[in-house]
Amino acid sequence: MRYLPHTEEEIRSMLQAIGVNTIESLFESIPKRDRLAGPLKLPPPLNEIELRQLLREISRKNAHGEEWASFLGGGAYSHYIPSAASHLIQRGEFLTAYTPYQPEVSQGTLQAIFEFQTMAAEILGMEIANASNYDGSTATAEAVLMALRLNERPKVLIGRSIHPEYRAVIETYLNNQRVQIETIPFGPEGTLDRNFLKRNIDDKTACVVAATPNFFGVVDDVTDVAENAHQHGALLITTTSEPLAFGLFRSPGEMGADIAVAEGQSFGNPVSLGGPSLGLFATLKKHARSVPGRLVGETTDQEGKRGFVLTLSTREQHIRRERATSNICTNVSLCALAATITLSLWGKQGFQKLAQTNYQNALELRERIKKIANLSSPFESTHFNEFVIRLPKVTSGVLKKLQKEKILGGVPLDALYPELENSLLICTTEMNSDDDRDRLVRALENL
């Protein structure tokens, strides 16, 4: 990034233009106790060569996939990204996350969003999809708000097996609304407790939020949950952080979901210090006007030429505030474009093959780990590409031992689910080699 400093004279000129004397006066609204009193603790100035060397040295402290075997999942997944995808999103006409305010001028951008919507709808098995949300958690929370708008009921049932951070985002969204949230526990198989659901769903329930695959990697066929919800006039929302699973298992639409959302990071976006992410949001055509965000449609112009238009945009900037469905102002369009290009390069057969590879690798690894003395898998269910393993020792100690062998052994569940003490969530994708999995098994055998 270029650094263009200002001269003292330029700074004085700018301050004079806005009617203040010092830069400090711009921050008077911030209490003094919260302001930095002295200069930042930085090393002395370096020339460009020295600076690059320093940053390279700092970056070597990171554990990265080139040297480490990573079995981390839990909401963010390392998948192969074709080089063409990374190259194409760098083109100048795409290198912005923002759709212009005269959207029909940007036919290429609109077509990319249209193609993304089509793929998202097909993957989730729904009739329509929007132009994406920020991430899987906000997409899930927006789905709950949409169900509350459609049903006007005060109660929401949320599965404890959905991503814990997604649950936290939903609770934040609903914090100041008169909505009763009830949590559905998970049963011994790691799936939704159907008996609890039957006892607690009623005519005040707006929606049931279920995950498949859920946070434990368990594939939970929620067809019966959809039927139960519909019998009581409630909607079923499905969510997942790994929609690649739908290349192998039944989609939410096939299971009867009314709204299906997902995290789309797996499609062409790297695992990079917590982001970037994008949310997939799909539903039935009859709910189109209640969808948050925007939808791009296909049409023809007066000469019969194919074109794309911003069909629905239900945020307050475009319509009256009280009719807005969301205040979301952008849709991480560059991430959605990366997903679109990656999915087009994979193709349908590639998508299914990748899903099969992920499933098979995880299944074999899980069976090998289960044979190790004192290790067990608490959920004997169908998993996709991650699973839970219970350890005989405290997870923090085990993870430290694995790190000495350059292995990131998984996500500890103790803090998120106290009832799963000494348990790890282990994920393996096509990015883990046979050698990686062998190393993990050997390391666990030597605990």
Side-chain angles (χ1 to χ4, degrees):
M1 179 182 288
R2 291 179 179 178
Y3 174 59
L4 302 174
H6 299 113
T7 65
E8 290 295 329
E9 185 178 348
E10 287 171 332
I11 293 173
R12 274 198 304 276
S13 174
M14 286 188 285
L15 291 173
Q16 188 177 7
I18 60 175
V20 296
N21 296 321
T22 63
I23 289 179
E24 286 71 26
S25 60
L26 299 175
F27 304 103
E28 284 179 349
S29 59
I30 301 173
K32 273 191 175 181
R33 65 175 184 278
D34 296 327
R35 284 187 249 166
L36 189 66
L40 291 169
K41 294 178 181 178
L42 294 174
L46 303 172
N47 63 39
E48 190 169 331
I49 295 175
E50 293 169 333
L51 182 62
R52 284 180 179 273
Q53 289 172 341
L54 176 64
L55 293 176
R56 200 174 293 120
E57 188 178 321
I58 294 172
S59 71
R60 289 196 186 104
K61 295 180 181 179
N62 287 328
H64 56 81
E66 295 294 323
E67 296 181 2
W68 289 59
S70 173
F71 294 91
L72 296 173
Y77 304 92
S78 178
H79 290 296
Y80 176 69
I81 301 173
S83 300
S86 303
H87 176 74
L88 289 172
I89 63 170
Q90 298 296 319
R91 288 178 62 100
E93 59 268 47
F94 290 133
L95 202 52
T96 172
Y98 222 88
T99 305
Y101 281 97
Q102 296 78 31
E104 277 65 38
V105 174
S106 306
Q107 283 295 296
T109 300
L110 290 178
Q111 181 173 0
I113 295 174
F114 179 81
E115 302 293 353
F116 168 82
Q117 293 173 176
T118 303
M119 293 178 185
E122 288 184 352
I123 290 169
L124 298 174
M126 305 299 287
E127 294 175 343
I128 59 169
N130 75 2
S132 79
N133 286 71
Y134 288 131
D135 55 27
S137 68
T138 53
T140 307
E142 291 284 354
V144 173
L145 291 182
M146 178 172 152
L148 291 170
R149 285 195 300 273
L150 289 170
N151 249 348
E152 297 184 341
R153 293 176 173 186
K155 182 174 165 183
V156 175
L157 291 172
I158 301 176
R160 187 165 157 73
S161 53
I162 80 167
H163 197 302
E165 292 171 355
Y166 291 16
R167 277 191 281 126
V169 172
I170 294 171
E171 289 167 4
T172 302
Y173 266 54
L174 301 182
N175 188 44
N176 293 315
Q177 299 199 31
R178 294 178 180 175
V179 176
Q180 176 189 354
I181 301 176
E182 289 191 15
T183 303
I184 310 169
F186 52 85
E189 297 294 319
T191 54
L192 276 185
D193 185 334
R194 265 53 171 188
N195 291 328
F196 179 94
L197 179 64
K198 287 177 183 173
R199 289 195 303 271
N200 290 275
I201 193 168
D202 52 32
D203 59 4
K204 293 181 180 177
T205 306
C207 62
V208 177
V209 187
T212 181
N214 64 26
F215 187 68
F216 310 126
V218 173
V219 178
D220 190 352
D221 190 325
V222 292
T223 304
D224 60 321
V225 176
E227 292 170 356
N228 194 356
H230 295 158
Q231 285 171 6
H232 291 84
L235 302 179
L236 173 65
I237 298 170
T238 64
T239 180
T240 186
S241 52
E242 184 53 301
L244 177 63
F246 301 128
L248 188 60
F249 298 100
R250 296 178 74 204
S251 69
E254 291 171 310
M255 290 185 271
D258 300 282
I259 307 171
V261 295
E263 167 61 58
Q265 174 271 325
S266 281
F267 307 147
N269 289 281
V271 178
S272 179
L273 305 174
S277 296
L278 75 151
L280 275 58
F281 193 112
T283 186
L284 304 173
K285 198 179 293 183
K286 63 182 180 182
H287 301 318
R289 290 190 176 278
S290 294
V291 171
R294 49 191 165 190
L295 286 84
V296 171
E298 182 184 26
T299 187
T300 53
D301 64 14
Q302 288 182 333
E303 299 173 353
K305 295 178 182 175
R306 186 190 189 204
F308 301 91
V309 293
L310 196 56
T311 305
L312 284 173
S313 188
T314 53
R315 64 172 291 213
E316 79 279 7
Q317 191 176 39
H318 300 280
I319 61 175
R320 289 199 302 274
R321 180 176 293 272
E322 65 274 16
R323 296 181 60 198
T325 57
S326 170
N327 65 353
I328 283 182
C329 57
T330 185
N331 61 291
V332 287
S333 196
L334 195 65
C335 298
L337 178 65
T340 307
I341 295 171
T342 299
L343 288 167
S344 67
L345 291 170
W346 286 349
K348 285 186 178 179
Q349 289 184 340
F351 187 79
Q352 292 169 346
K353 186 177 178 182
L354 194 60
Q356 179 67 45
T357 300
N358 273 249
Y359 168 73
Q360 198 64 40
N361 288 349
L363 179 63
E364 290 174 4
L365 179 62
R366 180 183 169 214
E367 293 306 309
R368 290 178 66 187
I369 291 176
K370 281 168 58 180
K371 292 177 182 175
I372 301 173
N374 298 322
L375 298 189
S376 61
S377 178
F379 304 132
E380 290 297 330
S381 312
T382 302
H383 290 70
F384 180 51
N385 63 2
E386 56 191 332
F387 53 89
V388 177
I389 287 292
R390 196 185 296 276
L391 303 166
K393 302 178 181 178
V394 178
T395 51
S396 58
V398 171
L399 290 174
K400 282 182 182 176
K401 282 188 176 180
L402 295 177
Q403 286 172 16
K404 289 179 181 176
E405 300 185 41
K406 291 193 171 183
I407 297 172
L408 298 172
V411 178
L413 296 178
D414 311 62
L416 299 170
Y417 296 92
E419 63 270 46
L420 295 176
E421 189 180 21
N422 297 345
S423 296
L424 277 181
L425 183 64
I426 295 176
C427 173
T428 182
T429 72
E430 76 281 5
M431 300 301 283
N432 293 113
S433 64
D434 292 343
D435 182 58
D436 287 342
R437 288 188 287 276
D438 290 343
R439 285 174 56 200
L440 177 64
V441 171
R442 282 198 301 271
L444 291 174
E445 285 172 340
N446 294 327
L447 286 177

